[in-house]
Amino acid sequence: MTNFQFKLIATDGNARAGKIVTAHGEVPTPVFMPVGTYGAVKTVTPEELVDSGSTIILSNTYHLFLRPGSELIQRLGGLHSFMGWDGPILTDSGGFQIVSLSDLAKVTEEGVTFRSHLDGERHSITPELSVSIQQQLGTDIAMCLDEVIDPLSEKKAMAGAVDRTRRWAERCIHSRTSEKMALFGIVQGGIFSDLRVESAEGLMEMGFDGYAVGGLALGEPRSETWEAVKSTTTVLPEDRPRYLMGMGTPMDLLEGIERGVDMFDCVMPTRNARNGTLFTSEGRLSIKVNALRDDLRPLDAECSCYTCRHFSRAYLRHLYKTGEMLGFRLCTIHNLSYYHQLISGARAAVLAGSFAAYREQLEEGWNSGERADRPDAEKSRDW
Amino acid sequence: MTNFQFKLIATDGNARAGKIVTAHGEVPTPVFMPVGTYGAVKTVTPEELVDSGSTIILSNTYHLFLRPGSELIQRLGGLHSFMGWDGPILTDSGGFQIVSLSDLAKVTEEGVTFRSHLDGERHSITPELSVSIQQQLGTDIAMCLDEVIDPLSEKKAMAGAVDRTRRWAERCIHSRTSEKMALFGIVQGGIFSDLRVESAEGLMEMGFDGYAVGGLALGEPRSETWEAVKSTTTVLPEDRPRYLMGMGTPMDLLEGIERGVDMFDCVMPTRNARNGTLFTSEGRLSIKVNALRDDLRPLDAECSCYTCRHFSRAYLRHLYKTGEMLGFRLCTIHNLSYYHQLISGARAAVLAGSFAAYREQLEEGWNSGERADRPDAEKSRDW
């Protein structure tokens, strides 16, 4: 075991409020983790992350392994010091990016071989190497290498992925040497509830510091996603954090919390910011539309972020239209602040026993937005 | 006259230390003005400008006229409030960009007609319209529309540009209606000393709030540039600020100050930052080179900027190599801080009567840099 801890503080239905303790500080849960792919959350400084409410960030093992290299980062003092972020860091195992980004990825029992998406160079990552890279980075929470396959695969194939994920998890847990680094197992099983339970129970026998729900939001119907999440969280131990990987929208956060999820990550708030889509208490807002040309209001009247305190929609639209990087930054600060405000509101609601009312109130706000501001109202149905 | 003021505080040889007073605050001179083309100094916030030492910024009339439009900015409360910058703003007249960026620019006695470089739409800017646009923006210091031609043009053509610039200056001064807005005349004359004197004297008869030296650093030999600057500053009144337009390198700042220049602007610190070239007390540093891969030193050991306090060369190189916008920002913050530290050091030296020693000391530093760090040492000769 590590000096990593999770304390469950309160529940409200299945929703949970807790606290994660790591070597780099505490994280109130539920929590949203911004994605810092290359050891930087795109456009913003560590200081701005803190100001926006970030308490833990995620970084990508695959990307850092290729550039600048995990050995170099270790030699320079680890990822925290390299990027100037003192808070906790969670890293993924690299497996998902290998399969989705690299060329000719080949999965065998030994591990994954692939060609770099940057220069075509051949690499191989095993469960042991993934853990070792994450230790070199000095991450606070490492993820086991898992086998992710299409959630709509046939049951037999999915059962194979669940088995391999369990065997790899065992190799991961045996190869960890750092006592500071927590290690999470990843539950697979696609949309098959019985496989989810089998996967979770197999990992629980090994005793991980936390458990992730992986392999979802990859094309399956959303109702099946939530069914699979529920099947998983129902069997996971109460005294360990649950992390739903790679999701999602503000509504996804609420849906997940309602089903007992504690941790989330997604590129959505940061990527959408750079694409000009903002999250507000009245729903999505496209910064591009003409209606904002002379709109002196902040992005969100209810938001207290740096961007909303200092700049108007009209100015942000102008920055977007002229391609000014400052606009990407200011929108990123807002979206991250929105996500963090939403989730700390959810935590407060769980503590107060009013999570259902909190969710209802947010949804009402999202449905109240002016249509003119919401050119992508279609897409927002997935909230 | 306006409520604009300039106070000459001390001289050291021809070098001057002074203070400009505007409706939006005071500016110690000599001063370097970062360029905020579209109402934003690229990548940084107003707060970061202040932290980097900026006291006045320049914005481009031509660009703001096209996007988002000066009438809109006026309606929204003026440029200061639009962009969240409370300090003084100087705007150019738009003339230079029209000729250099737009298609089919045609200069007649009436003014300049051109097609927008964005959409090809036809526009026309007269001296009166340029002043009116700058008033709409709410600038603190406006520039007269001038005729800029190749500094290596024949003397007869240059004399024509000087005459037209004088006639346009007269139209500008008569069309100004705002008492808050200072107006500067621009001295032309290329590299002909007698035309420079004639141009300066013609403008001085009209009594401008300040005088700019324009039309230089456009391909003429650098020794001729400084000769032309000297010819101009020698005849300009002591009690008005002198602004050398569009220059330049750190060495240019020192050369200009030595010849009695008070104000500078250039895209160099911000543009070079985005291209990975940093200015340091040891000369230029390219962030791209392999030697910085594991260099844990700050960009400049003598710099106290946010970037140098928090990040290593190795991390900044990594951000550059991975195309992270955060890197452009952090490098911009450093380069601006370097320029502002250099020029406030020059001011202190003038006040102490030690400007020549200050210059010598900086040059020694620039020549001390490790060659490995200076792949563009060739280019740095123009310092």
Side-chain angles (χ1 to χ4, degrees), chain B residues 38-300:
Chain B
Y38 276 111
V41 175
K42 288 194 190 304
T43 79
V44 294
T45 59
E47 217 169 42
E48 285 165 336
L49 287 173
V50 170
D51 289 348
S52 303
S54 306
T55 53
I56 174 172
I57 62 164
L58 178 147
S59 202
N60 291 122
T61 293
Y62 169 79
H63 290 293
L64 291 172
F65 172 68
L66 295 179
R67 288 190 297 185
S70 49
E71 281 177 22
L72 178 68
I73 289 180
Q74 180 178 41
R75 189 147 55 81
L76 298 179
L79 184 56
H80 294 83
S81 133
F82 186 57
M83 67 180 289
W85 169 258
D86 292 332
I89 298 177
L90 178 147
T91 44
D92 60 10
S93 69
F96 183 71
Q97 263 93 15
I98 291 172
V99 174
S100 58
L101 289 180
S102 70
D103 292 330
L104 305 173
K106 203 181 147 196
V107 182
T108 66
E109 186 61 22
E110 180 55 21
V112 191
T113 57
F114 62 99
R115 287 187 185 280
S116 157
H117 74 291
L118 299 169
D119 58 9
E121 204 184 324
R122 180 167 285 287
H123 298 278
S124 162
I125 290 194
T126 60
E128 291 81 6
L129 182 57
S130 173
V131 168
S132 154
I133 294 170
Q134 293 179 78
Q135 285 191 173
Q136 285 177 325
L137 296 174
T139 193
D140 297 285
I141 304 176
M143 302 302 299
C144 287
L145 190 70
D146 58 339
E147 186 175 19
V148 183
I149 66 171
D150 184 341
L152 298 175
S153 302
E154 304 247 321
K155 193 165 184 180
K156 197 175 157 191
M158 191 57 79
V162 164
D163 284 347
R164 176 166 282 160
T165 294
R166 195 194 61 243
R167 291 191 299 272
W168 282 4
E170 200 146 13
R171 287 165 58 187
C172 284
I173 212 166
H174 285 126
S175 65
R176 169 172 58 169
T177 56
S178 162
E179 284 194 1
K180 279 195 202 150
M181 185 178 81
L183 183 63
F184 281 22
I186 304 178
V187 177
Q188 291 293 346
I191 56 175
F192 303 100
S193 294
D194 52 345
L195 291 182
R196 285 276 164 194
V197 171
E198 184 190 319
S199 178
E201 288 177 342
L203 297 170
M204 284 154 64
E205 280 175 24
M206 299 175 223
F208 284 95
D209 298 302
Y211 298 88
V213 186
L216 290 174
L218 296 172
E220 78 282 4
R222 202 41 66 102
S223 60
E224 306 265 18
T225 310
W226 295 120
E227 200 52 43
V229 171
K230 189 68 192 297
S231 315
T232 312
T233 53
T234 303
V235 294
L236 287 174
E238 286 216 327
D239 62 350
R240 293 286 183 277
R242 297 96 175 253
Y243 161 31
L244 177 56
M245 302 182 82
M247 292 175 70
T249 65
M251 180 58 98
D252 287 341
L253 268 49
L254 297 181
E255 296 273 4
I257 292 169
E258 193 169 285
R259 289 166 179 81
V261 172
D262 306 302
M263 303 167 72
F264 301 87
D265 81 285
C266 194
V267 294
M268 184 168 274
T270 44
R271 181 177 292 166
N272 280 18
R274 300 195 306 281
N275 293 335
T277 300
L278 284 309
F279 296 99
T280 81
S281 55
E282 297 190 336
R284 292 186 201 212
L285 178 71
S286 169
I287 202 67
K288 306 166 204 179
V289 297
N290 268 325
L292 301 193
R293 199 168 171 271
D294 55 2
D295 190 337
L296 286 176
R297 291 176 295 172
L299 291 173
D300 188 347

Side-chain angles (χ1 to χ4, degrees), chain A residues 12-323:
Chain A
D12 179 6
N14 291 313
R16 296 149 50 102
K19 188 168 73 173
I20 290 171
V21 183
T22 77
H24 284 90
E26 298 188 357
V27 177
T29 61
V31 66
F32 177 79
M33 304 181 283
V35 178
T37 307
Y38 277 111
V41 176
K42 289 196 190 302
T43 80
V44 295
T45 59
E47 218 169 43
E48 285 165 336
L49 287 172
V50 171
D51 289 348
S52 304
S54 306
T55 54
I56 174 173
I57 62 164
L58 179 146
S59 202
N60 291 123
T61 292
Y62 169 79
H63 290 293
L64 291 171
F65 172 68
L66 295 179
R67 287 190 298 185
S70 49
E71 281 177 22
L72 178 68
I73 289 180
Q74 181 178 39
R75 189 149 54 82
L76 297 179
L79 184 57
H80 294 83
S81 133
F82 186 58
M83 67 179 290
W85 168 257
D86 293 333
I89 299 177
L90 180 147
T91 45
D92 60 11
S93 69
F96 182 71
Q97 263 93 13
I98 290 173
V99 175
S100 58
L101 289 179
S102 69
D103 292 330
L104 305 172
K106 201 179 150 197
V107 182
T108 67
E109 186 61 21
E110 179 56 20
V112 191
T113 56
F114 62 99
R115 286 188 185 281
S116 157
H117 74 290
L118 298 169
D119 58 10
E121 205 185 324
R122 180 166 284 288
H123 298 278
S124 161
I125 290 193
T126 61
E128 291 80 5
L129 182 58
S130 173
V131 168
S132 155
I133 294 170
Q134 294 179 77
Q135 284 191 176
Q136 286 178 324
L137 295 174
T139 193
D140 296 285
I141 304 175
M143 302 301 299
C144 287
L145 190 70
D146 58 338
E147 186 175 18
V148 183
I149 67 172
D150 184 342
L152 298 175
S153 303
E154 305 246 319
K155 192 163 185 180
K156 195 176 160 190
M158 191 58 79
V162 164
D163 285 346
R164 177 167 282 159
T165 294
R166 195 194 61 243
R167 291 190 299 272
W168 282 3
E170 200 146 15
R171 286 165 60 188
C172 284
I173 211 167
H174 285 126
S175 66
R176 169 172 59 170
T177 57
S178 162
E179 284 195 2
K180 278 195 202 150
M181 186 178 81
L183 183 64
F184 281 22
I186 304 178
V187 176
Q188 290 294 346
I191 55 176
F192 303 100
S193 294
D194 52 346
L195 290 182
R196 285 274 162 194
V197 171
E198 183 191 319
S199 178
E201 289 177 342
L203 296 170
M204 285 155 64
E205 279 174 26
M206 299 176 224
F208 284 94
D209 298 302
Y211 297 88
V213 186
L216 290 173
L218 296 172
E220 78 282 4
R222 202 43 63 105
S223 61
E224 306 266 18
T225 310
W226 295 120
E227 200 53 42
V229 171
K230 189 72 192 296
S231 314
T232 313
T233 54
T234 303
V235 294
L236 287 175
E238 285 217 328
D239 62 350
R240 293 285 183 277
R242 297 97 174 250
Y243 161 30
L244 177 56
M245 302 181 83
M247 291 175 70
T249 64
M251 181 59 98
D252 287 341
L253 268 49
L254 296 182
E255 296 272 5
I257 292 168
E258 193 169 285
R259 288 166 181 82
V261 172
D262 305 301
M263 303 167 73
F264 301 86
D265 81 285
C266 194
V267 295
M268 183 168 275
T270 45
R271 180 176 290 165
N272 280 18
R274 300 194 307 281
N275 293 334
T277 299
L278 285 309
F279 296 98
T280 81
S281 55
E282 296 190 337
R284 292 188 201 212
L285 177 71
S286 169
I287 202 67
K288 307 166 202 178
V289 297
N290 269 324
L292 302 192
R293 200 167 170 270
D294 55 1
D295 190 337
L296 286 176
R297 291 176 296 171
L299 291 173
D300 188 346
E302 292 180 22
C303 179
S304 60
C305 80
Y306 175 75
T307 304
C308 287
R309 287 201 316 275
H310 291 92
F311 303 97
S312 66
R313 295 173 172 194
Y315 183 61
L316 294 167
R317 174 183 179 277
H318 166 67
L319 294 180
Y320 189 86
K321 287 285 181 181
T322 51

